[in-house]
Amino acid sequence: MMRCHRGEAPVQESAPKAQELPAGWERVSDTTWGLAFPLPKGAALDSAAKSRTWRATAEGASYEVIELPMPAGKLDDRAFIKLVIAHVGAACQRQMKLGGRVDDATHTFIRFETGCTGKERLYGKIYVDQKHAISMLVRGEQNRERREVFLESVQ
């Protein structure tokens, strides 16, 4: 805003394009959800998980794409707060931040970030359409570009 008021040109960020995947990554398609998302190669469905879950690890970071229970009632900020707390746990609620909500005719996205006592930061994005609530969660990723590709490239 300050640059705009001074009449300066906007700064272009060098964030990777949605189609550009990091080396060793691939786009995974889930026909049950009707979504495609990037994950490190070797991603697989976790048959032991309570709900449909894709998992992958790379360079010390873990990536998860998890189906969550659909929120009941109105999809407002309170519903998202409850959904994220139920997902990451009450111990993570103190440092939780939600933001970047986008609504369109078919789905809603909202980003979250949190830290849990004695654990690393968690970065995530909740995707909700008429049939599914999906969480994209990354743990232990220090490379912001890889984290952003993962969180922002769902199709």
Side-chain angles (χ1 to χ4, degrees), residues 33 51-53 65-71 80 83-84 86-88 112 125-128 131-136:
W33 296 333
S51 63
R52 188 170 185 81
T53 303
V65 183
I66 306 161
E67 185 165 22
L68 304 175
M70 284 293 286
F80 275 113
L83 188 63
V84 173
H87 177 43
V88 299
F112 66 90
K125 185 175 191 176
I126 304 288
Y127 168 93
V128 180
K131 297 180 182 178
H132 306 284
I134 309 294
S135 168
M136 301 181 73

Side-chain angles (χ1 to χ4, degrees), residues 41-112:
K41 288 183 180 176
L45 279 169
D46 183 346
S47 59
K50 295 178 184 179
S51 63
R52 188 170 185 81
T53 303
W54 286 89
R55 294 187 196 279
T57 58
E59 300 179 30
S62 66
Y63 304 86
E64 303 168 357
V65 183
I66 306 161
E67 185 165 22
L68 304 175
M70 284 293 286
K74 185 177 178 184
L75 193 58
D76 58 9
D77 292 341
R78 180 180 220 114
F80 275 113
I81 291 169
K82 288 180 180 180
L83 188 63
V84 173
I85 290 171
H87 177 43
V88 299
C92 302
Q93 127 181 6
R94 185 176 213 178
Q95 296 181 35
M96 185 175 68
K97 296 177 187 175
L98 275 75
R101 180 177 174 160
V102 176
D103 297 279
D104 72 15
T106 60
H107 58 273
T108 298
F109 288 105
I110 193 165
R111 297 277 301 252
F112 66 90

